[in-house]
Amino acid sequence: MHRRTFLISTAIIGIAGYLGACSRNLKTGPTPSIAPAPTLGPESRVLPPADDAAPSSFSEFPLWPEGDIQTTVTALHKQHLCGTAEIPELHGRVSNGLCPVVVDLSGPSTWAIIPDGKENWSIMPVRMSPSPSPSSSSSPATTTGPYDPGPTIAIGPAVLDDSYAYITAGIHSTKNLTSEPPKGPASIHVIKVSLSDHTIVASICVAKNYVANDKFLYRVTLTLDVEHGTLLIVGDTRGVFQKAESFGFRINAADLSIQFDVSTVLADGFQVEESLGEALLVKDNAVIVYLATGVSEDRGQKVIKSVKDGWVYYKESDNSSRELEAYKRDAFRAQNIATGENILLADHPQQFHGLATQIPIYTNQHEVILYGEYGDSIFSVRQPGSATPILSWNSGERAIPSTACVFGDIAYLAPSKHVSNREGALQLVSLSAGQDVNEIPISAWGDSIAVSSWGIVLHDAFYPADAWFGYPSGTSEPTPTAVNS
C-alpha cells in the first residue's frame, strides 16, 4: 500500500487515535435482503454525534424502506436521501406507484413527488408499507373505459445540499406507453424541494422529447457546483439508435432559471455523445463544451472520462495503433480548465466506476476515486487535480474493491467478488493512517455505496450507523483492533 511519505511518521499516531475512540465490537453488518426491522422511533435510536462523524459500524436492519418495496437511491446528504420508491397508495395516480421521493431519515418520513398532468408537480407524505395489490381507494370505483394507470415517471439523478433537494424526472404520457419499460419520448423536469417544510420551491422543463428509456439514469447527469449556486444538467444519446433530442444547461439553483443553453454554441440538431458532469462531448466531432463557462474547444486526441471540480480527467490516445498493449500504455492525466495546468496521474488508463457500478449516488464527495483497467489495476483515492494519491495499491498487493466512497477520513470499500478470504466484508480504511480500521461482514458487491454520518446506502436501502470513529458509544464493550491488510 502506497501513500504520501509525509504521513508515514504520523500513521501510528493516527491509527491509535481512531482505534482508541472506537468502542464497538465488530458485528454482523447490513445484509442485502430487506428483513423487517424492529420498530424504533428517533428517541430510541442512536443518532449521529456530529454531521462530520464518520460511522464505524451499522445496524443489521435497514431503516428505509420498510418491507420489500422497489427502491432506487440517487443521493444522500446528512439525514436526507433522494431516489424513487414504489408507493402502494399511489397506484392509479402514477404507473406502478413509482415516483421520486425525498426521505427524512430522522423519522424516517417519505415524501412523494407526483405530476398533476399539467407540467406541474406536487408533494405529499406517503406510507411505505408494502401492499400486495393497489388499494381500492387508489383507483376509481367505477370506470367507463380502460383503466388508466397514470403517467409513467422516469427517475433521473438528484443532488442535495443542506436546505434543498434537486431532482430530475421524466414524464411519459400514458398514450405513448407501448413497452415496459417505456422507450418513447418524455418531458424532462428539474424539481427543487425544500427540506425544511417539504414544499415544491420551483420546477423547470428542460426537454420536451427526450428518449427516457430504462437507461435514463445512465444518460443524464446532474451536478451541483462547489458554491451551490448553479446546477449543470446534460442528457446524452448513448444507446439510442434513432435521432433523439439532447440537451445541456447551466441552471440558477435559486429559481431554476436557465443561465446557459448549449444549443446556443452548437449547430442545430446536435447530439450529445456523452455527459461528463460539468461538460459534454458532441457526437460525430471532437468538441467538448464546458457548462460552467459556456466555452467549447477541440478535444484533440483526448479520451475524456470525467470533468469534476474544474479538472478534466482523460487519457491521450494514439489512434495510430489499435493494439491492446498500446492502449494499456496510454497515460492518464488531469488538466485544470482555468489554468491549463496538466499533471500525470498514472502511466496507464483509469476508470471512474467500480466493477458493475455505473450509477453513482450523489454525496457531495470531492475526492477522486480511480479503479484502473486491465490486469495491472491500481486503486487510488486523491484530491481533485492531485498528482499524489492519498491512498493507493495495485491488484498484486491487494484486491481492487468493486466500488468505494469516502466520508471524512474514512474510505468505505465494498469487497471484490473474486476475493474468497474477504467475501462480503466491507473494509473501512483511514486515509490519514493508510491502514484498515474496521471490517464489517456484508454483501455489497456490484452496487454503488454512499455514506453520511447517519448511515450507509446498500442495495438501495439505508442502514443507520450505530457507532462513530472518535466518539465513545457509552457501552462497556471492548475496543476493536485493526484489521491487517
Side-chain angles (χ1 to χ4, degrees), residues 298-355:
D298 191 326
R299 65 177 170 178
Q301 298 301 313
K302 296 176 181 176
V303 179
I304 300 173
K305 297 294 187 178
S306 181
V307 181
K308 179 181 175 67
D309 292 320
W311 288 85
V312 181
Y313 296 88
Y314 69 97
K315 78 180 185 73
E316 195 140 31
S317 179
D318 179 6
N319 289 334
S320 64
S321 175
R322 299 290 182 180
E323 295 180 359
L324 179 61
E325 289 303 317
Y327 178 86
K328 290 181 181 180
R329 293 192 296 271
D330 289 335
F332 194 77
R333 296 180 175 274
Q335 183 173 22
N336 187 290
I337 298 172
T339 67
E341 177 189 2
N342 194 296
I343 61 175
L344 176 66
L345 299 181
D347 59 4
H348 63 282
Q350 301 284 288
Q351 61 183 10
F352 273 78
H353 298 296
L355 299 173

Short mmCIF file of all heavy atoms in Angstrom, two decimals, residues 298-355:
data_model
loop_
_atom_site.label_atom_id
_atom_site.label_comp_id
_atom_site.label_asym_id
_atom_site.label_seq_id
_atom_site.Cartn_x
_atom_site.Cartn_y
_atom_site.Cartn_z
N ASP A 298 -11.81 22.06 -29.16
CA ASP A 298 -11.47 20.78 -29.78
C ASP A 298 -10.79 19.91 -28.74
O ASP A 298 -9.84 20.33 -28.09
CB ASP A 298 -10.53 21.04 -30.96
CG ASP A 298 -10.33 19.81 -31.83
OD1 ASP A 298 -10.34 18.69 -31.27
OD2 ASP A 298 -10.17 19.98 -33.05
N ARG A 299 -11.27 18.67 -28.59
CA ARG A 299 -10.67 17.79 -27.59
C ARG A 299 -9.45 17.05 -28.12
O ARG A 299 -8.77 16.35 -27.37
CB ARG A 299 -11.69 16.78 -27.09
CG ARG A 299 -12.18 15.81 -28.15
CD ARG A 299 -13.13 14.79 -27.59
NE ARG A 299 -13.77 14.01 -28.64
CZ ARG A 299 -14.63 13.03 -28.41
NH1 ARG A 299 -14.96 12.72 -27.18
NH2 ARG A 299 -15.17 12.37 -29.41
N GLY A 300 -9.15 17.15 -29.40
CA GLY A 300 -7.97 16.53 -29.96
C GLY A 300 -7.99 15.02 -29.78
O GLY A 300 -8.99 14.35 -30.06
N GLN A 301 -6.87 14.46 -29.28
CA GLN A 301 -6.75 13.02 -29.08
C GLN A 301 -7.18 12.58 -27.68
O GLN A 301 -7.01 11.42 -27.31
CB GLN A 301 -5.31 12.59 -29.33
CG GLN A 301 -4.82 12.84 -30.75
CD GLN A 301 -5.66 12.12 -31.79
OE1 GLN A 301 -5.97 10.94 -31.65
NE2 GLN A 301 -6.06 12.84 -32.83
N LYS A 302 -7.73 13.48 -26.90
CA LYS A 302 -8.10 13.15 -25.53
C LYS A 302 -9.33 12.23 -25.50
O LYS A 302 -10.34 12.52 -26.15
CB LYS A 302 -8.43 14.41 -24.73
CG LYS A 302 -7.25 15.36 -24.53
CD LYS A 302 -7.71 16.63 -23.82
CE LYS A 302 -6.56 17.59 -23.65
NZ LYS A 302 -7.01 18.88 -23.05
N VAL A 303 -9.21 11.14 -24.76
CA VAL A 303 -10.37 10.30 -24.47
C VAL A 303 -10.80 10.68 -23.05
O VAL A 303 -10.21 10.24 -22.07
CB VAL A 303 -10.03 8.81 -24.56
CG1 VAL A 303 -11.25 7.96 -24.22
CG2 VAL A 303 -9.53 8.47 -25.96
N ILE A 304 -11.82 11.52 -22.96
CA ILE A 304 -12.17 12.14 -21.69
C ILE A 304 -13.09 11.23 -20.88
O ILE A 304 -14.09 10.74 -21.39
CB ILE A 304 -12.81 13.53 -21.93
CG1 ILE A 304 -11.82 14.42 -22.68
CG2 ILE A 304 -13.21 14.18 -20.60
CD1 ILE A 304 -12.39 15.74 -23.12
N LYS A 305 -12.75 11.03 -19.63
CA LYS A 305 -13.51 10.15 -18.75
C LYS A 305 -14.42 10.92 -17.80
O LYS A 305 -15.48 10.44 -17.43
CB LYS A 305 -12.55 9.27 -17.93
CG LYS A 305 -11.71 8.33 -18.77
CD LYS A 305 -12.57 7.30 -19.46
CE LYS A 305 -11.73 6.25 -20.18
NZ LYS A 305 -12.56 5.22 -20.82
N SER A 306 -14.01 12.11 -17.36
CA SER A 306 -14.82 12.87 -16.41
C SER A 306 -14.34 14.31 -16.37
O SER A 306 -13.17 14.60 -16.65
CB SER A 306 -14.73 12.25 -15.01
OG SER A 306 -15.54 12.96 -14.08
N VAL A 307 -15.27 15.20 -16.02
CA VAL A 307 -14.93 16.60 -15.72
C VAL A 307 -15.49 16.88 -14.34
O VAL A 307 -16.71 16.84 -14.13
CB VAL A 307 -15.50 17.57 -16.77
CG1 VAL A 307 -15.10 19.00 -16.43
CG2 VAL A 307 -15.02 17.20 -18.17
N LYS A 308 -14.61 17.13 -13.38
CA LYS A 308 -15.01 17.20 -11.98
C LYS A 308 -14.24 18.30 -11.27
O LYS A 308 -13.01 18.35 -11.35
CB LYS A 308 -14.75 15.84 -11.31
CG LYS A 308 -15.08 15.74 -9.83
CD LYS A 308 -14.74 14.34 -9.32
CE LYS A 308 -14.95 14.21 -7.81
NZ LYS A 308 -16.37 14.31 -7.43
N ASP A 309 -14.96 19.19 -10.58
CA ASP A 309 -14.35 20.25 -9.78
C ASP A 309 -13.34 21.06 -10.57
O ASP A 309 -12.27 21.44 -10.07
CB ASP A 309 -13.70 19.67 -8.52
CG ASP A 309 -14.71 19.13 -7.54
OD1 ASP A 309 -15.77 19.76 -7.37
OD2 ASP A 309 -14.46 18.06 -6.95
N GLY A 310 -13.66 21.34 -11.84
CA GLY A 310 -12.79 22.19 -12.65
C GLY A 310 -11.62 21.48 -13.29
O GLY A 310 -10.75 22.13 -13.87
N TRP A 311 -11.56 20.15 -13.20
CA TRP A 311 -10.47 19.37 -13.79
C TRP A 311 -11.02 18.40 -14.83
O TRP A 311 -12.08 17.80 -14.62
CB TRP A 311 -9.72 18.57 -12.73
CG TRP A 311 -8.86 19.43 -11.83
CD1 TRP A 311 -9.25 20.10 -10.72
CD2 TRP A 311 -7.46 19.69 -12.00
NE1 TRP A 311 -8.19 20.77 -10.16
CE2 TRP A 311 -7.07 20.54 -10.93
CE3 TRP A 311 -6.51 19.29 -12.93
CZ2 TRP A 311 -5.77 20.99 -10.78
CZ3 TRP A 311 -5.20 19.74 -12.79
CH2 TRP A 311 -4.84 20.59 -11.73
N VAL A 312 -10.29 18.25 -15.95
CA VAL A 312 -10.63 17.28 -16.98
C VAL A 312 -9.73 16.07 -16.80
O VAL A 312 -8.50 16.19 -16.81
CB VAL A 312 -10.42 17.86 -18.39
CG1 VAL A 312 -10.81 16.84 -19.45
CG2 VAL A 312 -11.22 19.14 -18.57
N TYR A 313 -10.32 14.89 -16.64
CA TYR A 313 -9.57 13.65 -16.47
C TYR A 313 -9.68 12.86 -17.77
O TYR A 313 -10.77 12.56 -18.25
CB TYR A 313 -10.13 12.85 -15.30
CG TYR A 313 -9.96 13.57 -13.97
CD1 TYR A 313 -10.92 14.46 -13.51
CD2 TYR A 313 -8.82 13.37 -13.21
CE1 TYR A 313 -10.75 15.13 -12.31
CE2 TYR A 313 -8.64 14.03 -12.00
CZ TYR A 313 -9.61 14.92 -11.56
OH TYR A 313 -9.44 15.59 -10.37
N TYR A 314 -8.52 12.49 -18.34
CA TYR A 314 -8.53 11.90 -19.68
C TYR A 314 -7.29 11.03 -19.91
O TYR A 314 -6.30 11.11 -19.18
CB TYR A 314 -8.56 13.01 -20.73
CG TYR A 314 -7.29 13.83 -20.81
CD1 TYR A 314 -6.32 13.55 -21.77
CD2 TYR A 314 -7.05 14.87 -19.92
CE1 TYR A 314 -5.14 14.28 -21.84
CE2 TYR A 314 -5.88 15.62 -19.98
CZ TYR A 314 -4.93 15.31 -20.94
OH TYR A 314 -3.75 16.04 -21.01
N LYS A 315 -7.38 10.19 -20.95
CA LYS A 315 -6.20 9.51 -21.46
C LYS A 315 -5.95 10.05 -22.87
O LYS A 315 -6.89 10.34 -23.61
CB LYS A 315 -6.35 8.00 -21.44
CG LYS A 315 -7.19 7.39 -22.54
CD LYS A 315 -7.24 5.89 -22.39
CE LYS A 315 -7.97 5.22 -23.54
NZ LYS A 315 -7.20 5.21 -24.78
N GLU A 316 -4.69 10.22 -23.20
CA GLU A 316 -4.34 10.77 -24.51
C GLU A 316 -4.05 9.59 -25.42
O GLU A 316 -3.00 8.96 -25.33
CB GLU A 316 -3.13 11.69 -24.41
CG GLU A 316 -2.94 12.54 -25.65
CD GLU A 316 -2.53 13.96 -25.31
OE1 GLU A 316 -1.85 14.15 -24.30
OE2 GLU A 316 -2.88 14.87 -26.07
N SER A 317 -4.99 9.28 -26.28
CA SER A 317 -4.92 8.07 -27.08
C SER A 317 -4.14 8.31 -28.36
O SER A 317 -4.22 9.36 -28.99
CB SER A 317 -6.34 7.60 -27.42
OG SER A 317 -6.30 6.45 -28.22
N ASP A 318 -3.37 7.29 -28.75
CA ASP A 318 -2.68 7.30 -30.03
C ASP A 318 -3.51 6.47 -31.01
O ASP A 318 -3.46 5.24 -30.99
CB ASP A 318 -1.28 6.70 -29.87
CG ASP A 318 -0.52 6.66 -31.20
OD1 ASP A 318 -1.05 7.20 -32.20
OD2 ASP A 318 0.58 6.11 -31.23
N ASN A 319 -4.27 7.15 -31.84
CA ASN A 319 -5.18 6.45 -32.75
C ASN A 319 -4.46 5.68 -33.85
O ASN A 319 -5.07 4.95 -34.62
CB ASN A 319 -6.16 7.43 -33.38
CG ASN A 319 -7.18 7.93 -32.37
OD1 ASN A 319 -7.48 7.25 -31.40
ND2 ASN A 319 -7.72 9.12 -32.60
N SER A 320 -3.14 5.87 -33.95
CA SER A 320 -2.41 5.16 -34.99
C SER A 320 -2.26 3.68 -34.66
O SER A 320 -1.90 2.88 -35.52
CB SER A 320 -1.02 5.78 -35.18
OG SER A 320 -0.25 5.62 -33.99
N SER A 321 -2.51 3.31 -33.40
CA SER A 321 -2.37 1.91 -33.00
C SER A 321 -3.66 1.44 -32.35
O SER A 321 -4.17 2.08 -31.46
CB SER A 321 -1.21 1.74 -32.02
OG SER A 321 -1.15 0.41 -31.56
N ARG A 322 -4.17 0.32 -32.83
CA ARG A 322 -5.39 -0.27 -32.28
C ARG A 322 -5.08 -1.47 -31.38
O ARG A 322 -5.99 -2.15 -30.94
CB ARG A 322 -6.31 -0.72 -33.41
CG ARG A 322 -6.75 0.42 -34.33
CD ARG A 322 -7.72 1.35 -33.62
NE ARG A 322 -8.19 2.40 -34.51
CZ ARG A 322 -9.04 3.35 -34.15
NH1 ARG A 322 -9.49 3.38 -32.91
NH2 ARG A 322 -9.44 4.27 -35.00
N GLU A 323 -3.80 -1.72 -31.16
CA GLU A 323 -3.42 -2.90 -30.40
C GLU A 323 -3.71 -2.69 -28.92
O GLU A 323 -3.54 -1.60 -28.38
CB GLU A 323 -1.94 -3.20 -30.59
CG GLU A 323 -1.58 -3.59 -32.03
CD GLU A 323 -0.10 -3.90 -32.17
OE1 GLU A 323 0.61 -3.78 -31.15
OE2 GLU A 323 0.32 -4.23 -33.29
N LEU A 324 -4.13 -3.77 -28.27
CA LEU A 324 -4.47 -3.71 -26.86
C LEU A 324 -3.30 -3.28 -26.00
O LEU A 324 -3.45 -2.46 -25.09
CB LEU A 324 -4.99 -5.08 -26.39
CG LEU A 324 -5.36 -5.19 -24.91
CD1 LEU A 324 -6.47 -4.23 -24.55
CD2 LEU A 324 -5.78 -6.63 -24.59
N GLU A 325 -2.11 -3.77 -26.29
CA GLU A 325 -0.93 -3.43 -25.48
C GLU A 325 -0.63 -1.94 -25.58
O GLU A 325 -0.23 -1.31 -24.61
CB GLU A 325 0.28 -4.26 -25.92
CG GLU A 325 0.18 -5.72 -25.54
CD GLU A 325 -0.01 -5.90 -24.04
OE1 GLU A 325 0.67 -5.21 -23.26
OE2 GLU A 325 -0.87 -6.71 -23.66
N ALA A 326 -0.85 -1.35 -26.75
CA ALA A 326 -0.64 0.09 -26.91
C ALA A 326 -1.66 0.86 -26.10
O ALA A 326 -1.35 1.89 -25.48
CB ALA A 326 -0.71 0.48 -28.39
N TYR A 327 -2.91 0.36 -26.09
CA TYR A 327 -3.96 1.02 -25.31
C TYR A 327 -3.61 1.02 -23.83
O TYR A 327 -3.81 2.01 -23.13
CB TYR A 327 -5.29 0.32 -25.54
CG TYR A 327 -6.43 0.90 -24.73
CD1 TYR A 327 -7.16 1.99 -25.22
CD2 TYR A 327 -6.78 0.38 -23.49
CE1 TYR A 327 -8.19 2.53 -24.48
CE2 TYR A 327 -7.81 0.92 -22.75
CZ TYR A 327 -8.51 2.00 -23.25
OH TYR A 327 -9.53 2.54 -22.51
N LYS A 328 -3.07 -0.09 -23.36
CA LYS A 328 -2.72 -0.18 -21.94
C LYS A 328 -1.67 0.84 -21.54
O LYS A 328 -1.59 1.25 -20.38
CB LYS A 328 -2.21 -1.59 -21.62
CG LYS A 328 -3.26 -2.68 -21.66
CD LYS A 328 -2.63 -4.02 -21.30
CE LYS A 328 -3.64 -5.14 -21.34
NZ LYS A 328 -3.03 -6.44 -20.98
N ARG A 329 -0.84 1.27 -22.50
CA ARG A 329 0.25 2.19 -22.17
C ARG A 329 -0.18 3.65 -22.23
O ARG A 329 0.61 4.53 -21.91
CB ARG A 329 1.42 1.95 -23.13
CG ARG A 329 2.11 0.60 -22.94
CD ARG A 329 3.43 0.56 -23.70
NE ARG A 329 3.22 0.67 -25.14
CZ ARG A 329 3.03 -0.37 -25.94
NH1 ARG A 329 3.00 -1.60 -25.45
NH2 ARG A 329 2.86 -0.20 -27.24
N ASP A 330 -1.41 3.91 -22.65
CA ASP A 330 -1.87 5.29 -22.73
C ASP A 330 -1.89 5.92 -21.34
O ASP A 330 -2.50 5.40 -20.41
CB ASP A 330 -3.28 5.37 -23.33
CG ASP A 330 -3.28 5.06 -24.82
OD1 ASP A 330 -2.23 5.26 -25.45
OD2 ASP A 330 -4.32 4.62 -25.33
N ALA A 331 -1.23 7.06 -21.19
CA ALA A 331 -1.14 7.72 -19.89
C ALA A 331 -2.47 8.38 -19.52
O ALA A 331 -3.23 8.82 -20.39
CB ALA A 331 -0.03 8.77 -19.91
N PHE A 332 -2.74 8.44 -18.23
CA PHE A 332 -3.96 9.06 -17.72
C PHE A 332 -3.58 10.37 -17.04
O PHE A 332 -2.72 10.41 -16.15
CB PHE A 332 -4.66 8.13 -16.73
CG PHE A 332 -6.07 8.54 -16.42
CD1 PHE A 332 -7.09 8.29 -17.32
CD2 PHE A 332 -6.38 9.16 -15.23
CE1 PHE A 332 -8.40 8.67 -17.05
CE2 PHE A 332 -7.69 9.54 -14.94
CZ PHE A 332 -8.70 9.28 -15.86
N ARG A 333 -4.24 11.46 -17.43
CA ARG A 333 -3.84 12.79 -16.99
C ARG A 333 -5.04 13.59 -16.47
O ARG A 333 -6.19 13.21 -16.66
CB ARG A 333 -3.18 13.57 -18.15
CG ARG A 333 -1.88 12.95 -18.64
CD ARG A 333 -1.29 13.75 -19.79
NE ARG A 333 0.01 13.25 -20.18
CZ ARG A 333 1.16 13.61 -19.61
NH1 ARG A 333 1.16 14.51 -18.64
NH2 ARG A 333 2.30 13.09 -20.02
N ALA A 334 -4.73 14.70 -15.83
CA ALA A 334 -5.74 15.67 -15.41
C ALA A 334 -5.27 17.06 -15.84
O ALA A 334 -4.08 17.39 -15.73
CB ALA A 334 -5.94 15.64 -13.90
N GLN A 335 -6.22 17.85 -16.34
CA GLN A 335 -5.90 19.21 -16.78
C GLN A 335 -6.86 20.19 -16.15
O GLN A 335 -8.08 19.98 -16.15
CB GLN A 335 -5.97 19.33 -18.30
CG GLN A 335 -5.58 20.70 -18.83
CD GLN A 335 -5.49 20.74 -20.33
OE1 GLN A 335 -6.08 19.91 -21.02
NE2 GLN A 335 -4.76 21.70 -20.88
N ASN A 336 -6.31 21.26 -15.58
CA ASN A 336 -7.12 22.31 -14.97
C ASN A 336 -7.74 23.16 -16.07
O ASN A 336 -7.03 23.70 -16.94
CB ASN A 336 -6.26 23.17 -14.04
CG ASN A 336 -7.08 24.16 -13.26
OD1 ASN A 336 -7.61 25.12 -13.80
ND2 ASN A 336 -7.18 23.94 -11.96
N ILE A 337 -9.06 23.29 -16.06
CA ILE A 337 -9.75 24.01 -17.13
C ILE A 337 -9.37 25.49 -17.14
O ILE A 337 -9.15 26.08 -18.20
CB ILE A 337 -11.27 23.87 -16.97
CG1 ILE A 337 -11.69 22.40 -17.08
CG2 ILE A 337 -12.01 24.71 -18.02
CD1 ILE A 337 -13.15 22.16 -16.75
N ALA A 338 -9.24 26.09 -15.96
CA ALA A 338 -8.99 27.53 -15.88
C ALA A 338 -7.55 27.90 -16.20
O ALA A 338 -7.29 28.88 -16.89
CB ALA A 338 -9.38 28.04 -14.49
N THR A 339 -6.58 27.10 -15.71
CA THR A 339 -5.17 27.47 -15.83
C THR A 339 -4.43 26.71 -16.91
O THR A 339 -3.34 27.13 -17.33
CB THR A 339 -4.45 27.25 -14.49
OG1 THR A 339 -4.40 25.84 -14.21
CG2 THR A 339 -5.17 27.96 -13.37
N GLY A 340 -4.97 25.58 -17.35
CA GLY A 340 -4.26 24.76 -18.32
C GLY A 340 -3.22 23.84 -17.71
O GLY A 340 -2.56 23.07 -18.43
N GLU A 341 -3.03 23.88 -16.39
CA GLU A 341 -2.07 23.01 -15.73
C GLU A 341 -2.38 21.55 -16.04
O GLU A 341 -3.53 21.12 -15.96
CB GLU A 341 -2.11 23.23 -14.22
CG GLU A 341 -1.18 22.30 -13.43
CD GLU A 341 -1.38 22.39 -11.92
OE1 GLU A 341 -2.27 23.15 -11.49
OE2 GLU A 341 -0.66 21.69 -11.19
N ASN A 342 -1.34 20.79 -16.40
CA ASN A 342 -1.52 19.40 -16.80
C ASN A 342 -0.64 18.51 -15.94
O ASN A 342 0.56 18.76 -15.81
CB ASN A 342 -1.17 19.23 -18.28
CG ASN A 342 -1.64 17.91 -18.84
OD1 ASN A 342 -1.19 16.86 -18.42
ND2 ASN A 342 -2.55 17.97 -19.80
N ILE A 343 -1.23 17.49 -15.33
CA ILE A 343 -0.46 16.60 -14.46
C ILE A 343 -0.68 15.14 -14.86
O ILE A 343 -1.74 14.78 -15.37
CB ILE A 343 -0.84 16.78 -12.98
CG1 ILE A 343 -2.31 16.46 -12.75
CG2 ILE A 343 -0.50 18.18 -12.48
CD1 ILE A 343 -2.73 16.51 -11.30
N LEU A 344 0.36 14.33 -14.64
CA LEU A 344 0.28 12.90 -14.90
C LEU A 344 -0.23 12.19 -13.66
O LEU A 344 0.32 12.34 -12.58
CB LEU A 344 1.67 12.36 -15.27
CG LEU A 344 1.76 10.84 -15.47
CD1 LEU A 344 0.95 10.41 -16.69
CD2 LEU A 344 3.23 10.41 -15.60
N LEU A 345 -1.30 11.41 -13.81
CA LEU A 345 -1.86 10.66 -12.69
C LEU A 345 -1.41 9.21 -12.70
O LEU A 345 -1.16 8.62 -11.65
CB LEU A 345 -3.40 10.71 -12.73
CG LEU A 345 -4.04 12.09 -12.61
CD1 LEU A 345 -5.56 11.95 -12.63
CD2 LEU A 345 -3.60 12.80 -11.36
N ALA A 346 -1.34 8.60 -13.88
CA ALA A 346 -0.94 7.20 -13.98
C ALA A 346 -0.41 6.95 -15.38
O ALA A 346 -0.77 7.66 -16.33
CB ALA A 346 -2.12 6.27 -13.70
N ASP A 347 0.44 5.95 -15.52
CA ASP A 347 1.01 5.64 -16.83
C ASP A 347 0.18 4.65 -17.62
O ASP A 347 0.64 4.09 -18.61
CB ASP A 347 2.46 5.15 -16.68
CG ASP A 347 2.55 3.89 -15.81
OD1 ASP A 347 1.49 3.38 -15.40
OD2 ASP A 347 3.68 3.45 -15.55
N HIS A 348 -1.05 4.40 -17.16
CA HIS A 348 -1.96 3.55 -17.90
C HIS A 348 -3.38 4.03 -17.64
O HIS A 348 -3.62 4.79 -16.70
CB HIS A 348 -1.80 2.08 -17.51
CG HIS A 348 -2.13 1.79 -16.08
ND1 HIS A 348 -1.28 2.08 -15.05
CD2 HIS A 348 -3.23 1.25 -15.52
CE1 HIS A 348 -1.83 1.73 -13.90
NE2 HIS A 348 -3.02 1.22 -14.15
N PRO A 349 -4.37 3.62 -18.45
CA PRO A 349 -5.74 4.14 -18.32
C PRO A 349 -6.36 3.87 -16.95
O PRO A 349 -5.99 2.91 -16.26
CB PRO A 349 -6.50 3.42 -19.42
CG PRO A 349 -5.46 3.04 -20.42
CD PRO A 349 -4.24 2.73 -19.62
N GLN A 350 -7.32 4.70 -16.61
CA GLN A 350 -8.05 4.57 -15.35
C GLN A 350 -9.55 4.62 -15.65
O GLN A 350 -9.97 5.10 -16.70
CB GLN A 350 -7.69 5.70 -14.39
CG GLN A 350 -6.21 5.78 -14.02
CD GLN A 350 -5.82 4.70 -13.03
OE1 GLN A 350 -6.17 4.75 -11.86
NE2 GLN A 350 -5.09 3.71 -13.51
N GLN A 351 -10.34 4.16 -14.70
CA GLN A 351 -11.78 4.28 -14.82
C GLN A 351 -12.35 4.84 -13.52
O GLN A 351 -11.76 4.68 -12.45
CB GLN A 351 -12.44 2.94 -15.15
CG GLN A 351 -12.24 1.85 -14.12
CD GLN A 351 -12.87 0.54 -14.57
OE1 GLN A 351 -13.29 0.40 -15.72
NE2 GLN A 351 -12.93 -0.42 -13.68
N PHE A 352 -13.51 5.51 -13.64
CA PHE A 352 -14.11 6.20 -12.50
C PHE A 352 -15.17 5.37 -11.79
O PHE A 352 -15.65 5.76 -10.75
CB PHE A 352 -14.73 7.52 -12.96
CG PHE A 352 -13.76 8.66 -12.97
CD1 PHE A 352 -12.85 8.80 -14.00
CD2 PHE A 352 -13.74 9.59 -11.94
CE1 PHE A 352 -11.94 9.85 -14.01
CE2 PHE A 352 -12.84 10.63 -11.94
CZ PHE A 352 -11.94 10.77 -12.98
N HIS A 353 -15.54 4.22 -12.35
CA HIS A 353 -16.57 3.39 -11.74
C HIS A 353 -15.99 2.05 -11.37
O HIS A 353 -15.15 1.50 -12.09
CB HIS A 353 -17.77 3.20 -12.67
CG HIS A 353 -18.47 4.46 -13.02
ND1 HIS A 353 -19.11 5.23 -12.07
CD2 HIS A 353 -18.61 5.11 -14.20
CE1 HIS A 353 -19.63 6.29 -12.67
NE2 HIS A 353 -19.34 6.24 -13.94
N GLY A 354 -16.44 1.51 -10.25
CA GLY A 354 -16.01 0.19 -9.87
C GLY A 354 -16.67 -0.88 -10.72
O GLY A 354 -17.46 -0.59 -11.62
N LEU A 355 -16.34 -2.13 -10.45
CA LEU A 355 -16.89 -3.24 -11.22
C LEU A 355 -18.41 -3.27 -11.09
O LEU A 355 -18.96 -3.29 -10.00
CB LEU A 355 -16.30 -4.56 -10.71
CG LEU A 355 -14.78 -4.69 -10.82
CD1 LEU A 355 -14.32 -5.97 -10.14
CD2 LEU A 355 -14.34 -4.67 -12.27
#
